[in-house]
Amino acid sequence: MSLDAVLSKIDTDLPAATDRLMALLRIPSISTDPAYKADCDRAADWLVADLNSLGIKTEKRATPGHPMVVGHLDGPGPHLLFYGHYDVQPVDPLELWDNDPFDPRIEETPKGEVIRGRGSSDDKGQLMTFIEACRAWKAVHGTLPCKLTFFLEGEEESGSPSLVPFMKENAEELTSDLALICDTGLFESKTPAIVTMLRGLLGEELTITGPRIDLHSGMYGGVAINPVRVLSRIIAALHDDQGRITVPGFYDGVPELPDEIEAQWQGLAFDHSAFLGDVGLSHPAGEQDRTPLEMIWSRPTCEVNGIWGGYTGDGFKTVLPSEAHAKISFRLVGTQDPLKIRESFRAMVREMLPEDCEVSFQSHGAGAASVTETSDPSFEAARQALSDEWQVPAAYVGCGGSIPIAGHFQNILGTTPMLIGFGKDDDALHSPNEKYDMESFHKGIRSWARVLAALT
Ligand code: BES
Ligand code: ZN
């Protein structure tokens, strides 16, 4: 059968596919840091060349930020769009990496072979699973099974600032029957999954200013206001003792889980002890009246991502800082309105400011949550294809992370997103020593070939 031939081709081509992924991983396309602008451009060029080599007419398209990569191949219906992102997270703290993050290697580990390097899992390895499936299909059949659009972004890890304008300007070109997104994971590292709920994200940076300059804490300590103390008090006030977030109106639009989803999730028998144990923890620390799966998939959060001010270098300095800073993010669910929450959060901070302090805010994006309707028969077809490859029934799951484009496909283009990915919980996304299992890469490519066959 034709699918079998494609699957065999994928198996024999795995070493070459791995080499291609390694070449892409060597390009340090860190989107949030302007120092890597040329590298983001190079990663886009690499993908343009690779897709063109498959006969997919592909161009790098300029945006005010990093370029988009857009490719088209005409063919019979349905029209499928594939989305992935070629940008990666910063690598700090660099000293915690065992090797250069951009000198990827194949490593044998007790759990099997892994590809180690920044972006191996998020999202270059995942993005290449789809491209490699297409390459094998083309090699076997001389053509691809349907009309395809490739839409690869270089700003996903920095809040996708150019995405909405680009999608609006090119709406007709980017509209398809179904948008396939490869940027999520397996359930508990072993069960294939289609993600149907993603949390939204609101990013806020604040700077609290007190004295005009850093001061001697012996000379001024006690009489001068200390912005780090002010910031600490504000941050401490963002949650109550039960783990609920205290920003006024924050829970407006947070739905209770529908019975059907609750039953589905109960059937998954999530092992939260193993999930937390893997990162050295034991106790679920969110809203105390919620289950751990709810905490990560269907409840909103407020987290401090970074805090600094005063002297943090080696040794000790008796300084009373002039400024204190924090980066705070909120994960959002249901119909929580990111802009309303931003205003309410800022008002709460201003309200808590004592005399002589000022605050300024910088926004790092505001995106709502998204939920995908799975009644279209293509979902059941894809779920069956995944189950066939992994030999375990594929699950519909939530995802605590945010992938802004999923909601934009629905709201701007009216296209349903289908989120399928092969990352594992221990991939160390955004962390030192990120990896992608060879199993994820290999079976991920095979999965896409099966999904393509099932959808066309
Ligand atoms: N691939 C992740 C989303 C993800 C996280 C999937 C965890 C599965 C498990 C994505 O690239 C990501 O990290 N997104 C950012 C978005 C943000 C910067 C707007 C996130 O969720 O923090
Ligand atoms: Zn990602």
Side-chain angles (χ1 to χ4, degrees):
M1 192 197 111
S2 56
L3 176 61
D4 287 338
V6 175
L7 296 175
S8 304
K9 175 70 183 158
I10 289 169
D11 296 347
T12 52
D13 203 33
L14 185 63
T18 307
D19 286 346
R20 285 185 285 269
L21 172 56
M22 305 281 269
L24 181 58
L25 291 174
R26 279 188 202 102
I27 307 174
S29 44
I30 303 172
S31 58
T32 198
D33 186 342
Y36 295 89
K37 187 170 174 34
D39 297 299
C40 291
D41 224 55
R42 253 190 328 129
D45 287 333
W46 190 95
L47 287 162
V48 167
D50 195 45
L51 287 172
N52 276 312
S53 79
L54 291 180
I56 296 151
K57 270 181 148 344
T58 309
E59 301 175 319
K60 187 168 72 174
R61 305 269 285 267
T63 76
H66 303 301
M68 305 285 177
V69 171
V70 183
H72 297 287
L73 179 85
D74 212 1
H79 179 188
L80 302 180
L81 179 146
F82 175 75
Y83 167 89
H85 62 93
Y86 66 79
D87 64 319
V88 301
Q89 285 275 329
V91 296
D92 61 288
L94 185 58
E95 64 278 11
L96 294 186
W97 286 78
D98 296 332
N99 284 303
D100 180 344
F102 296 109
D103 181 14
R105 14 199 112 194
I106 309 293
E107 278 174 33
E108 282 301 337
T109 76
K111 289 188 193 165
E113 211 172 22
V114 307
I115 305 161
R116 179 95 57 197
R118 174 55 92 228
S120 52
S121 176
D122 191 6
D123 183 43
K124 290 173 175 172
Q126 303 245 67
L127 177 160
M128 289 306 289
T129 56
F130 189 82
I131 296 182
E132 293 299 344
C134 290
R135 194 184 324 271
W137 194 295
K138 175 108 196 284
V140 169
H141 296 291
T143 170
L144 283 158
C146 63
K147 180 169 173 173
L148 282 172
T149 295
F150 287 78
F151 182 24
L152 312 177
E153 188 194 351
E155 299 186 319
E156 198 273 350
E157 299 290 11
S158 47
S160 301
S162 311
L163 190 61
V164 170
F166 189 85
M167 288 177 87
K168 286 187 173 158
E169 274 160 34
N170 301 281
E172 202 178 323
E173 181 184 356
L174 295 172
T175 299
S176 63
D177 297 321
L178 187 67
L180 305 171
I181 301 179
C182 192
D183 197 19
T184 51
L186 302 163
F187 176 66
E188 289 193 321
S189 303
K190 52 184 189 299
T191 305
I194 301 181
V195 167
T196 64
M197 289 170 81
L198 281 167
R199 291 195 287 193
L201 188 66
L202 170 67
E204 286 283 280
E205 181 169 339
L206 63 157
T207 299
I208 294 181
T209 316
R212 181 173 57 78
I213 47 170
D214 283 3
L215 303 172
H216 190 297
S217 69
M219 216 167 146
Y220 289 93
V223 70
I225 189 87
N226 181 330
V228 174
R229 279 176 52 200
V230 173
L231 178 63
S232 309
R233 199 165 57 87
I234 291 172
I235 287 174
L238 289 170
H239 294 84
D240 70 14
D241 291 346
Q242 295 305 304
R244 272 179 76 86
I245 293 141
T246 56
V247 174
F250 183 76
Y251 287 93
D252 293 352
V254 176
E256 281 307 318
L257 213 51
D259 292 345
E260 185 200 338
I261 305 250
E262 194 178 341
Q264 259 176 27
W265 289 4
Q266 262 164 12
L268 293 171
F270 177 58
D271 182 354
H272 77 263
S273 305
F275 181 75
L276 288 176
D278 199 42
V279 292
L281 300 175
S282 59
H283 183 69
E287 293 169 278
Q288 290 306 296
D289 57 344
R290 299 288 166 175
T291 66
L293 256 199
E294 283 181 284
M295 288 180 196
I296 53 174
W297 286 355
S298 65
R299 297 296 298 174
T301 67
C302 164
E303 293 297 347
V304 183
N305 304 116
I307 173 167
W308 69 103
Y311 183 69
T312 56
D314 288 340
F316 202 78
K317 185 179 176 194
T318 48
V319 68
L320 199 155
S322 147
E323 284 185 359
H325 309 257
K327 291 181 195 275
I328 296 180
S329 61
F330 298 87
R331 298 276 169 182
L332 308 178
V333 303
T335 56
Q336 275 182 300
D337 180 340
L339 299 181
K340 270 198 185 148
I341 291 173
R342 178 154 80 194
E343 284 324 304
S344 179
F345 165 70
R346 291 182 178 186
M348 175 175 168
V349 172
R350 288 196 183 100
E351 192 110 317
M352 289 186 73
L353 272 191
E355 291 286 310
D356 288 337
C357 280
E358 281 178 14
V359 64
S360 63
F361 296 94
Q362 190 187 343
S363 169
H364 288 281
S370 67
V371 175
T372 307
E373 180 39 59
T374 57
S375 56
D376 187 282
S378 56
F379 278 83
E380 208 33 48
R383 207 177 69 79
Q384 190 55 53
L386 292 171
S387 308
D388 290 346
E389 174 59 28
W390 294 80
Q391 298 289 300
V392 204
Y396 288 122
V397 300
C399 173
S402 309
I403 303 175
I405 198 166
H408 301 326
F409 276 128
Q410 286 173 305
N411 301 330
I412 301 176
L413 305 180
T415 309
T416 301
M418 184 186 278
L419 292 129
I420 295 174
F422 314 99
K424 299 195 180 185
D425 291 340
D426 64 356
D427 279 354
L429 303 187
H430 299 195
S431 301
N433 296 319
E434 179 179 351
K435 59 89 176 161
Y436 198 45
D437 281 16
M438 193 60 84
E439 183 191 38
S440 295
F441 188 51
H442 185 189
K443 287 172 94 59
I445 302 170
R446 291 174 54 101
S447 297
W448 281 124
R450 289 183 189 270
V451 170
L452 277 176
L455 297 182
T456 55

